[in-house]
Amino acid sequence: MTDPATTDAIPAPTPSRIPVRGGGMFPVRRIYCVGRNFADHAKEMGAAAPASKAERGQPVFFLKPADAIVTDGVVPYPHGTHDLHHEIELVVALGRDAPAGVLDPHNAEKLVYGYGVGLDLTRRDLQAAAKAKGLPWDTGKAFDHSAPVSELVPAAAVGDLDTLTLTLLVSGEPRQRGALSDLIWNVGDILHELSKLYALRAGDLIFMGTPAGVGPLQVGDAFVARLDGIAELRGEIVMPTGTGVG
């Protein structure tokens, strides 16, 4: 007989899952995001960029809900905004739990299961309004369908990240391009810093930050995000259900 005290009051939600090249699915636990991890993007957003790694200070982190993942490329234009922006990013997927304590940045990448390419979609007007008032800007970043991502490629098939480049086309027009060698904090650095704040677990994703060239997306725009010949994400911004755009 089922014990009512241990029975779910409502059906448990199905976790978001990302296809893995070669077969299988990757269940998503959390999505961590890194802000201002390319100096050129920090400058275009009006923030100071470090002149050297010795001056870089602390990385900026924020989170998105795990169910913000989009794997089929179909992105409804979000409600509440008239200024949706694209931000192409390297996506890191963790396949192992981190040990207790602070990770050694030189060993942290052993936790990595694979890599992909994604978009950190941003309601820029909501983010800017919150920043102007000194308020948190969660509504500008953490919303439905705000994390489109490609299939994941196992780390062993990716090789040296520093040789790779992110590229974004929107309706055939080049918008963003950035070499991963230009990251202010690399993957090991970011996992080290995150481990000071959170218990990292298998299933976690990290969106590693975007290069310069962020800009608006409109209904009907098609996008192609590439991590060189490693991963590709194709999609389109579509009309949302319900009321009109915004």
Side-chain angles (χ1 to χ4, degrees):
M1 182 174 180
T2 303
D3 182 356
T6 61
T7 302
D8 291 337
I10 61 172
T14 302
S16 297
R17 290 182 168 88
I18 303 172
V20 175
R21 184 172 298 173
M25 302 292 286
F26 182 91
V28 179
R29 174 180 175 265
R30 288 183 183 170
I31 305 174
Y32 300 100
C33 302
V34 187
R36 303 175 187 173
N37 203 13
F38 282 85
D40 56 359
H41 174 60
K43 291 175 182 176
E44 77 174 348
M45 298 305 293
S52 68
K53 288 199 172 186
E55 301 175 7
R56 60 189 177 174
Q58 298 294 316
V60 175
F61 294 124
F62 57 93
L63 283 80
K64 289 178 181 279
D67 64 0
I69 289 291
V70 175
T71 58
D72 64 2
V74 179
V75 180
Y77 196 100
H79 297 292
T81 184
H82 295 280
D83 196 19
L84 177 68
H85 275 209
H86 56 74
E87 298 189 8
I88 185 174
E89 310 203 359
L90 171 70
V91 177
V92 180
L94 301 189
R96 294 168 52 192
D97 291 354
V102 177
L103 287 170
D104 180 338
H106 301 293
N107 295 324
E109 290 186 50
K110 294 179 181 178
L111 301 180
V112 175
Y113 174 83
Y115 299 98
V117 62
L119 296 182
D120 165 20
L121 295 179
T122 303
R123 295 192 281 205
R124 190 71 72 199
D125 45 358
L126 301 189
Q127 183 191 37
K131 282 183 175 181
K133 296 177 181 178
L135 298 173
W137 29 272
D138 301 63
T139 57
K141 289 287 191 178
F143 54 93
D144 297 336
H145 310 104
S146 62
V149 65
S150 70
E151 68 175 356
L152 296 176
V153 180
V158 174
D160 185 2
L161 291 176
D162 281 348
T163 66
L164 302 178
T165 300
L166 296 166
T167 306
L168 178 67
L169 304 177
V170 177
S171 297
E173 173 191 347
R175 289 280 187 92
Q176 290 185 267
R177 183 176 177 82
L180 295 184
S181 59
D182 291 336
L183 286 167
I184 297 172
W185 290 273
N186 64 25
V187 173
D189 295 332
I190 287 299
L191 295 181
H192 167 72
E193 295 294 336
L194 279 170
S195 73
K196 297 177 182 179
L197 303 169
Y198 303 97
L200 298 175
R201 297 285 183 257
D204 289 346
L205 297 182
I206 300 93
F207 279 59
M208 284 289 295
T210 195
V214 302
L217 290 166
Q218 308 293 339
V219 171
D221 281 343
F223 56 82
V224 182
R226 295 190 178 104
L227 176 61
D228 279 345
I230 303 296
E232 180 176 280
L233 168 66
R234 290 179 174 266
E236 182 181 5
I237 308 301
V238 301
M239 186 68 73
T241 56
T243 59
V245 174

